[in-house]
Structure formats: C-alpha cells, structure tokens
Amino acid sequence: MTENAQQQPPAPDTELPTQYAPAEVEGALYERWVDKGYFAADAKSDKPPYTIVIPPPNVTGSLHLGHAFQHTLMDALTRRKRMQGFEALWLPGMDHAGIATQNKVEQQLAEEGKSRHDLGREEFVERVWQWKEEYGGKILGQMRRLGDGVDWDRERFTMDEGLSKAVLTIFKKLYDDELIYRAERIINWCPRCLTAISDIEVEYQEDDGELVSIKYGEGDETLVVATTRAETMLGDTAVAVHPDDERYQHLIGKRIKLPLTDRSIPVVADTHVDPEFGTGAVKVTPAHDPNDFAIGQRHGLESITVMDERAVITAHGPFQGLDRFEARSAIVAALRSQGRIVAEKRPYVHSVGHCSRCKTTIEPRLSMQWWVKVGPLAKAAGDAVRGGRVKIHPEDMSKRYFDWVDNMHDWCISRQLWWGHRIPVWYGPDGEVVCVGPDEEPPTGEGWRQDTDVLDTWFSSGLWPFSTLGWPEQTEDLRKFYPTDVLLTGHDIIFFWVARMMMFGLYAMDGEVPFKTIALTGLVRDERGKKMSKSFGNVVDPLDWMDKYGSDAVRFTLARGANPGTDVPIGEDWVQASRNFANKIWNATRFALMNGATIEGPLPEPSQMSATDRWILSRLNKTVAQVDAYYEDFQFAKLSDALFHFAWDEVFDWYVELSKTTFQAGGESAKVSQRVLGEVLDITLKLLHPIVPFVTDTLWTTLTGGESVVIADWPKDSGFRDAAAEREIESLQSVITEVRRFRADQGLQPGQRVPARLTLDGTALAPHEAAIRQLLRLQPEGESFSATATLPVAGATVALDLSGTIDVAAERKRLAKDLAAAEKEKAQATAKLGNEAFLAKAPDNVVDKIRGRLAKADEDIARIQAQLDRLPPA
C-alpha cells in the first residue's frame, strides 16, 4: 500500500493535551530541531544535493510579511526535499545594507552631537561594526520564530572575510577584462545621504509640483519651453527641437538668449524630441538630466553643473547659495517679473523619485563614478534563459526579464559612503591607477591613495549564490551545492538582483548558471488588495500574528495565497481560520489516538477493509500525487488548498465520523480501521509538515513514536486506487448531505432525533445503515411510524416522520410567505429587465446587479417549492 510506517516503533501512550497551545510548543521544538542538526547539510554526503540560498535581508531589517511569505515557501521546498532524501541546504545570511546601516549609525552620532567626520573613516567603520554586533541581525531571531529550517552553521554576511575576498576577486577580474571603468555620467543622487543610489533605491510617488512655460530668446527668435525644475535652467546649454518640426526650421543652428544669464545657447535638432508634446521644444541641461545628457553627447554640448552635492545652487548670480527648492521659486519670480512666464500650472501632479532610505527627492547629477560594462554579461544572462538552462516560473514573467537584460544600461557600482566594500583602486602621484586583487599588496609611498568610494550593495549580493559557498576557493560546498536549485524571490527585484546574480554567476563560474529555476512570487497586500504602507496604516507585524495565532497559522495563510507571480492579499480573519485548521488537526488526531489509531504492523489487505477504508486510502494516494505535482510547479496555493480540503473535509469530517460506528462496534473491523486511520494520519501529517511544521511534528511523534517528522520519509503514491469505493462513499455522502440540508430547511436542531425508514436494499449503501442513522440522528421507525416526508437520494429512499417534531401548518405558512416574497422579487426584476428604456440608460453594473437578483429569486423559488413539496399535508 505505502512505504510503511510498520517499520517505526509503536505509538507511545502519551496523551495529547486537550488544546493546542502554539506558544508552549514552537520555541522549544525549534531549538530541538537545531540542536539535533536536522538542518545541517553535509557536503560529503552521497545524497543528491538540493540548494536554496536565502535572499539576504538587510542587517538593519526586521521580519515583515514579505519576508515571512517567501521564507515560508523556501522552507516548504527545502523541508520536502530533505524528506525526499536530498542533502538539502538552505543557506542563511544578511546583507550589510550600505546606506541603511550607515544612516542608522549616523543617526546615533547625531544624537551625541557628532557626525561621521568627527570620528574619521576608520573609527566610524569600527562604530558600524559595533552597531551590527549589538543591534544588527534582529531578523535572524525572528526567522527562528517562523520555523526557518536553515543551516545556521553556514550563516554568511556580505562583509565577512570570505565574501569580502570574493568581492575583491571579481572586481579585479572585471577590471582586468576591461568590464569595469570610471567615467562621468548622470546618476541618481541623494542630497541627504550624499551618495549615488541604484534605481531600486529610488521610490517614485505622485507629487504636487508646478509646470511653468518659459519664453527663451528675443523677438522673432523665441521658443517656449515647459519645465517642472526651473532651477536647472541655469545649466541649460541648448534648446532641442525635432528636425522635422517646421515651426522651428528657421531657428535650428542659431543661438538664442538664455534668460537670467549672460549666455546664449544653440537650438539643436534631435529626434528624441516629441513634436506633439507641449510646444515641441525642450530645454537641455546635460549635467542634471539623463536624457539631456544623451542629447548633449550627440551634439557636443557643454555640461554645466549648477548644484553641489547638497543640491545648493553654485551658479554665479543672485541665486547662488539657495537650496534647489528655494531657487525654483526665486527663479520663477524673476522670470515672471521679466514677462517670460507664458503659462503656469499648479498643482501639477507628476511622478518624482525619492530616496527609499530618507525620502529626500532624488537629484539627477553628473558625477564621476565607477561602472560595469554590462553588454556581454547581460547577453549571457539572456542566453541562459533563452537556451533553457535556467527556467523562469511562471513562464510569462520571462518577458519582463528579457525586457531588462536586453536593454540594460551600464551599471553604476560606486557609492559615496564609508560603510561597504571599498573600491580596490589606488591612485598614484603621477596619475597612476592600480587595481589591487585580494592577494596583492597595494602600492605604498608618498602620494598614493585609495579610492574613497565603496561598492553598491547589489555588487556583493550579486555574488551570493557562489560566494556564500566559498568562492573563489574551490571548496567542498561549492562542488556539492553549486549551482543552486531554486531562487525564490519577488518579481519586483527581477531587474536589480536576479539579473545581477545571473551576470556574475555565469561570468565567475565559467558559464555555469547560478540557479536552475527562478521562481517569482507576488507581493503581500492587505485583505483589500492594497499595498501595505505605513502611510496607509495597514502594515502588519507578522510577529504579532504569530504571538496570537501561532507560526503555523501565519505560514499556512501565506502559502494558501501563493499563486505564482501573483500578489497575495492577507487579513487577520484568514490567519484566524488557519489557526482553526491547526486546532482541527490537533483535535482530530487526539480523537484518533483515543480511539486506537495506530501505525503498528502492516496495512491490512484491501479485501479485509471496508469501503470507507478503501475510499480514504484511494483519496489519500490521489492527494499525494496531486501535492507532488503542485510542488514541482510551485503551485503553493493549490497544494495548500488540496491538503486543507483533504485533511478537513475527507479525513476529519467524513472518514473519522464514518469510522465512529466501527470503533464503537469493536472487533476485527475496528482494528482494520484503526490501522487505516493511523496510516492516513501518518501520511497526512507528513504532507502538511513542510508548511505547518510545528503542530505536525508534535502530532506525528506522538502518533508514531518516531524521532521527528522533519527527518521522516516523504510519502509516495503507492498507486492504490479504488474507483468503486469512491463511488460508494460519494453516494453515502450525497444521502447524508441531502438529508442534513432537508433537516436544516425544516428548522430541526442538529441533535434532534427523528424516526426514519431507510430503504437501502439493492444499493451499495446497505452496509452503511448504522453510520447513516448515527450521523443523521435517525431513530428506528417504531410501530406508530408515519412517513410525512420522503427523500429519494442516490438510489436509496429516506422516509421521515416529522409529525412529532414540527408544526406542519405553521411551516407551510412560513414557507408560503417566503415564496411570495421571492416571486415578487422575480416579478420586479423581470419587469426592469424587460423595460427597453431602462436598459438603454442604466449603467452596465446596475443591469448586472438586477440580473443577479433575478437569478437569486429563481433559486429561492425552486428551493422553497421543493421544501413545500416535501412537507406532508397540513
């Protein structure tokens, strides 16, 4: 039947508490797992490897629902593979988070009345390390709360010695291959953090601004340009128009007066300009706009920087020394006084980039920075997916990946910070530039100095799949566990992290991919599908829910919403429902143990089993096969739903209930069902374990006496199917469901007993009469039995005597009133839908609502009429 639990020791006599208390179980149980070494992977093992490296959370971070969501899924994948006999490594670690961590320490210093410059670079960096040891890594403890089955002995940090060596090694290699260079380009600049930042660190939001239209030039040689950043006009070096725009043909190549300055600037023709947008003329400020910089490069324009690193105006004149926003107002006022403001629109709502760390408005700025030449690296990253060596799941997300890698711009990797991997380049007194590898000595002597910048955090995290396994050394871990199997991460960072790992992995590892599958998830949202944000007041701390409902409940809720690539709505009601499911598992297992459920001995032969036993085993094996298929397709929501309905509906609500009469009767049939129930619970708990590990391990060890379900064998589909038993129990379910519905319609209490005559002869239901009577609270018919209601269901007949249980006349009167109301509702809806004038004017949603009312009325009429037909005459 299955690979069997009969080899395990018999269940002990341990009794389960009457209620499951997660807080009393989870912490101690997790520490036991870790102490036993269940999550430790062995590079020398002969088992096939399975590897996931955790997307490294920031050292400054704490567990949020997004982390809990992805960690639940990664943990489920790893736990299942471990149970399947793989040498499973889930490798944990943290990112040093350059800007975020430096900001934390600078805030501390500010409270002491100091800045980092008061300490100097070395002392400041030492202070950051102290902060990291004292406050950093809070999330690691929270991961334990969630139940993350990671190998803590292999925990890594992007600034540890090994990973730092990897960073220096690949920088040197890229530099020597002329894939790293230094150049002056436009970058995202944060005037508060005083550094370049990556695209992913820019958050865009709709801001109220001002769009002003300004007249450039004099007399017949004038142009009108519109801008939201009037302060940058001080750095304009041209006005651009489309070469085919007939309005400006007479001006192309001429120079016009730039207002508020003593300069004249050329009018250039460039196809980047959209003649249909605005006036068809745009101001060109190459030092303060990426598009303008490109125009400037094409036309050989001068780049004039008019703001310093703090976004203070540096251009000579009355605006020098003003903050950019102060200067904006002052410049517009000055232009207005000269009659050069043609139009003003305020508020003008437009998308503006902000620093994700400090929320300061980003300033595009021309700056000397270090860059990675991504062309050949990005091509390799695209080819790896196109060639099928790396699968993206869901497949429709591939387009987004290709849109990025096929159109990637060179990557700015330098940051003007002190915390991070310092650029390993030294400058000499005579203009020498030397890149120093990890095993090389830097040049010394008078006039030599190291570059002051550090590397973008994404540079070191891009090495994560192989640097964490020991590269550049050829370690046992690297040989055993690389390439990794699955990268599971949010679709929102496919561009910034996933693509970088692909580029660096293929480059550093001689064309070997860093992972075989990229499994992309959606983002966690609130129950209304709204993005979680502090400003919306809908951010949830998952630890609060864990405290209240248990970690299993949070995990199951997240997994049940995890459709590939799709955002996940979550609300507290759903977590509460998952807690109820954990309680259901607990109570059903407790009942089973009290009634002799066991895994001792082999499973009986099918010929010894009842149809109910054969049915549940058939359904069990189908569920095993279904769950396996869903795992391989990363369909966590579907597998969770399949397990929920199998466990709750089929095992607990049907099989356990149907077995009660067998247990009460005793004898050989009871022993068979006790063994079958033990088998079903054994496998069901194993199937549930990767998602709800705590409650399942507690129950499984009590049921089986085994050491831990964490290291138990994953269930296999034995191939056992019994279609006849499934049809028989489906018929039984139909009878019980239909009679229960009728009882409820008649207002009978669930425990109220009713005399009944069952006609089951000639049907497969005959052996189930005792179960039917017990589940439906049906008494024997007795001498004075009078069938007042007859229900033909599934080939059987259930006749009920309701004469002593309900007032038939009163019930008919109530139902007749309900029927009249339903018929009136139908008539009103039908009349509206038949009114052509109404249909011509009413919105579609109103018409749809009325159609819904009509359908509901038809359903109510049919239902009530059926109830009336079943009642005896008054």
Side-chain angles (χ1 to χ4, degrees):
M1 297 294 300
T2 60
E3 287 193 8
N4 230 347
Q6 72 257 35
Q7 299 174 359
Q8 306 228 20
D13 294 330
T14 305
E15 288 189 6
L16 291 169
T18 55
Q19 290 184 323
Y20 177 49
E24 297 175 11
V25 170
E26 293 177 350
L29 185 53
Y30 184 85
E31 293 308 317
R32 178 177 179 273
W33 293 336
V34 173
D35 292 343
K36 289 284 188 178
Y38 294 157
F39 307 139
D42 182 2
K44 297 179 180 179
S45 165
D46 293 332
K47 295 179 182 178
Y50 182 83
T51 316
I52 296 179
V53 292
I54 204 167
N58 287 353
V59 66
T60 60
S62 59
L63 191 76
H64 57 63
L65 273 176
H67 290 132
F69 171 53
Q70 292 180 359
H71 287 208
T72 293
L73 306 187
M74 285 184 278
D75 196 30
L77 290 172
T78 313
R79 284 177 183 269
R80 172 174 173 263
K81 286 294 183 180
R82 189 178 291 115
M83 295 171 75
Q84 286 182 313
F86 286 78
E87 194 62 45
L89 169 61
W90 185 21
L91 193 149
M94 291 186 299
D95 191 283
H96 64 276
I99 294 177
T101 310
Q102 180 156 320
N103 280 348
K104 289 280 188 185
V105 178
E106 288 198 85
Q107 288 167 11
Q108 275 191 348
L109 290 173
E111 292 172 3
E112 300 169 14
K114 299 177 183 177
S115 75
R116 60 181 162 125
H117 300 285
D118 294 323
L119 273 64
R121 184 169 194 139
E122 288 189 12
E123 190 177 340
F124 176 78
V125 170
E126 180 59 32
R127 178 75 175 255
V128 179
W129 278 108
Q130 291 172 8
W131 181 93
K132 185 256 182 187
E133 293 304 314
E134 187 172 355
Y135 300 105
K138 176 181 177 183
I139 193 171
L140 299 178
Q142 296 167 340
M143 287 163 54
R144 302 171 92 93
R145 282 286 313 277
L146 188 65
D148 284 9
V150 297
D151 186 344
W152 290 110
D153 291 338
R154 284 181 168 85
E155 180 190 335
R156 303 306 299 268
F157 180 55
T158 49
M159 289 279 286
D160 69 28
E161 184 178 351
L163 269 64
S164 294
K165 182 175 183 179
V167 168
L168 296 177
T169 300
I170 201 163
F171 188 100
K172 172 71 171 173
K173 180 174 169 61
L174 288 163
Y175 184 89
D176 289 347
D177 288 345
E178 298 183 350
L179 293 173
I180 280 184
Y181 63 94
R182 194 168 183 244
E184 196 173 37
R185 301 275 180 83
I186 292 285
I187 44 87
N188 301 311
W189 182 264
C190 176
R192 157 61 183 79
C193 297
L194 298 180
T195 182
I197 64 174
S198 66
D199 291 338
I200 198 173
E201 291 164 325
V202 179
E203 291 180 349
Y204 288 89
Q205 65 186 49
E206 298 297 307
D207 284 1
D208 287 347
E210 178 182 25
L211 182 67
V212 293
S213 298
I214 309 167
K215 183 172 67 176
Y216 282 28
E218 302 290 350
D220 294 335
E221 297 182 352
T222 61
L223 287 164
V224 175
V225 300
T227 181
T228 58
R229 301 169 66 216
E231 69 280 6
T232 63
M233 69 167 291
L234 301 175
D236 286 358
T237 55
V239 172
V241 297
H242 193 278
D244 299 330
D245 195 333
E246 294 185 0
R247 294 172 293 178
Y248 304 119
Q249 291 297 311
H250 66 293
L251 291 176
I252 294 174
K254 292 187 177 181
R255 300 183 73 86
I256 61 173
K257 182 78 167 60
L258 177 64
L260 304 182
T261 72
D262 57 2
R263 293 190 291 117
S264 64
I265 57 177
V267 178
V268 299
D270 197 283
T271 55
H272 171 76
V273 180
D274 180 2
E276 301 299 321
F277 183 77
T279 64
V282 297
K283 60 191 287 299
V284 182
T285 320
H288 293 280
D289 183 272
N291 294 322
D292 293 3
F293 179 79
I295 294 174
Q297 293 285 294
R298 288 193 289 270
H299 296 278
L301 301 175
E302 183 183 5
S303 294
I304 301 176
T305 299
V306 298
M307 276 180 262
D308 68 10
E309 61 183 8
R310 298 184 184 276
V312 173
I313 301 298
T314 57
H316 292 296
F319 311 108
Q320 186 175 10
L322 295 179
D323 171 80
R324 54 183 165 164
F325 300 121
E326 296 172 336
R328 182 177 301 174
S329 300
I331 287 170
V332 170
L335 291 167
R336 191 184 297 115
S337 69
Q338 293 183 6
R340 289 191 172 274
I341 299 296
V342 175
E344 297 180 67
K345 183 178 181 181
R346 71 166 73 87
Y348 178 72
V349 179
H350 62 134
S351 182
V352 177
H354 296 259
C355 175
S356 63
R357 304 299 176 191
C358 67
K359 312 308 177 187
T360 301
T361 301
I362 290 302
E363 189 63 44
R365 186 170 188 259
L366 186 62
S367 180
M368 183 67 75
Q369 301 285 345
W370 285 93
W371 304 81
V372 172
K373 187 184 296 183
V374 300
L377 303 175
K379 182 181 184 303
D383 291 346
V385 176
R386 287 190 172 93
R389 291 192 294 149
V390 177
K391 305 287 187 185
I392 292 181
H393 189 86
E395 191 176 354
D396 58 12
M397 287 281 182
S398 297
K399 182 180 183 302
R400 298 179 66 180
Y401 176 80
F402 292 131
D403 285 346
W404 180 250
V405 297
D406 293 347
N407 300 285
M408 195 181 292
H409 300 297
D410 284 0
W411 171 21
C412 176
I413 56 171
S414 46
R415 298 290 179 265
Q416 289 64 54
L417 303 170
W418 287 355
W419 172 244
H421 297 101
R422 194 165 175 182
I423 302 248
V425 172
W426 272 255
Y427 305 103
D430 298 317
E432 302 96 332
V433 179
V434 177
C435 179
V436 178
D439 299 319
E440 299 172 351
E441 291 295 326
T444 58
E446 187 176 350
W448 283 93
R449 60 183 178 84
Q450 186 178 358
D451 195 299
T452 57
D453 288 352
V454 300
L455 287 163
D456 178 11
T457 296
W458 296 100
F459 190 94
S460 52
S461 61
L463 315 180
W464 192 251
F466 52 94
S467 65
T468 53
L469 295 172
W471 187 90
E473 308 302 328
Q474 294 303 306
T475 63
E476 285 187 329
D477 277 1
L478 197 64
R479 287 191 290 269
K480 176 74 173 181
F481 296 111
Y482 190 89
T484 66
D485 288 87
V486 178
L487 171 73
L488 190 143
T489 191
H491 63 65
D492 56 324
I493 59 172
I494 185 172
F495 317 123
F496 308 105
W497 188 47
V498 178
R500 282 153 171 55
M501 285 190 290
M502 285 286 285
M503 292 192 303
F504 280 168
L506 291 161
Y507 174 74
M509 299 299 293
D510 299 322
E512 195 167 17
V513 298
F515 23 73
K516 300 165 190 171
T517 301
I518 301 168
L520 297 170
T521 69
L523 308 179
V524 179
R525 296 180 176 271
D526 71 12
E527 64 267 34
R528 297 178 179 85
K530 193 173 184 179
K531 180 181 177 180
M532 287 192 175
S533 167
K534 289 180 180 178
S535 60
F536 296 153
N538 62 350
V539 173
V540 173
D541 184 344
L543 295 169
D544 292 341
W545 282 351
M546 288 184 217
D547 289 341
K548 195 170 182 180
Y549 302 111
S551 297
D552 284 333
V554 174
R555 290 171 61 113
F556 192 74
T557 305
L558 291 164
R560 206 173 178 193
N563 291 298
T566 304
D567 289 350
V568 182
I570 184 172
E572 187 168 0
D573 288 350
W574 305 339
V575 184
Q576 187 171 356
S578 296
R579 188 271 313 273
N580 295 345
F581 179 50
N583 288 343
K584 184 79 170 181
I585 300 169
W586 182 272
N587 291 334
T589 305
R590 185 171 178 271
F591 167 84
L593 290 169
M594 290 169 62
N595 284 272
T598 180
I599 62 159
E600 186 176 359
L603 266 178
E605 291 300 315
S607 59
Q608 298 176 274
M609 299 179 189
S610 67
T612 307
D613 294 330
R614 297 194 307 276
W615 161 74
I616 197 62
L617 289 173
S618 182
R619 291 295 307 130
L620 173 68
N621 280 284
K622 282 184 177 180
T623 301
V624 171
Q626 189 178 39
V627 166
D628 277 336
Y630 284 145
Y631 261 116
E632 295 307 313
D633 200 33
F634 302 98
Q635 297 281 357
F636 295 99
K638 290 182 178 179
L639 73 89
S640 299
D641 216 45
L643 285 170
F644 174 85
H645 288 295
F646 174 71
W648 191 307
D649 299 345
E650 296 183 293
V651 179
F652 305 148
D653 277 0
W654 282 108
Y655 183 69
V656 167
E657 290 299 316
L658 290 171
S659 299
K660 284 181 179 178
T661 52
T662 305
F663 294 151
Q664 290 169 359
E668 288 303 312
S669 294
K671 291 180 181 178
V672 170
S673 291
Q674 286 166 341
R675 180 64 188 86
V676 170
L677 180 53
E679 181 80 0
V680 170
L681 286 176
D682 171 30
I683 293 177
T684 301
L685 291 170
K686 289 176 180 176
L687 291 173
L688 284 165
H689 172 72
I691 297 175
V692 284
F694 294 105
V695 68
T696 50
D697 195 40
T698 305
L699 295 173
W700 187 86
T701 52
T702 303
L703 171 71
T704 68
E707 182 181 337
S708 173
V709 73
V710 177
I711 54 172
D713 291 337
W714 181 254
K716 293 181 180 178
D717 174 12
S718 70
F720 177 76
R721 303 288 189 274
D722 193 324
E726 290 197 40
R727 287 193 299 271
E728 182 175 327
I729 301 306
E730 284 171 7
S731 296
L732 175 60
Q733 290 171 329
S734 295
V735 170
I736 292 171
T737 301
E738 187 61 28
V739 175
R740 279 176 173 168
R741 183 181 297 119
F742 176 75
R743 287 176 57 110
D745 288 342
Q746 306 309 314
L748 296 177
Q749 295 299 314
Q752 191 171 353
R753 295 196 169 273
V754 178
R757 176 184 300 147
L758 305 184
T759 306
L760 307 176
D761 294 343
T763 74
L765 297 173
H768 301 287
E769 179 169 354
I772 292 172
R773 286 191 176 276
Q774 178 165 321
L775 291 175
L776 291 173
R777 303 294 191 269
L778 302 180
Q779 298 177 182
E781 51 193 277
E783 293 182 5
S784 60
F785 178 83
S786 174
T788 58
T790 303
L791 285 76
V793 189
T797 303
V798 179
L800 303 173
D801 183 355
L802 304 178
S803 58
T805 57
I806 62 170
D807 184 333
V808 176
E811 188 63 17
R812 279 191 168 277
K813 185 176 180 180
R814 182 184 69 80
L815 290 172
K817 184 178 179 182
D818 291 346
L819 181 62
E823 289 173 338
K824 181 179 179 182
E825 175 72 2
K826 178 179 180 178
Q828 290 174 343
T830 302
K832 283 193 174 182
L833 293 174
N835 185 335
E836 294 296 333
F838 169 77
L839 293 177
K841 294 180 182 179
D844 290 345
N845 66 317
V846 173
V847 175
D848 289 343
K849 188 174 181 180
I850 294 172
R851 288 192 179 122
R853 285 170 49 195
L854 177 60
K856 176 68 165 54
D858 281 334
E859 290 176 5
D860 289 345
I861 290 169
R863 175 179 55 79
I864 297 167
Q865 190 60 60
Q867 290 177 241
L868 282 166
D869 293 343
R870 288 171 176 164
L871 283 174

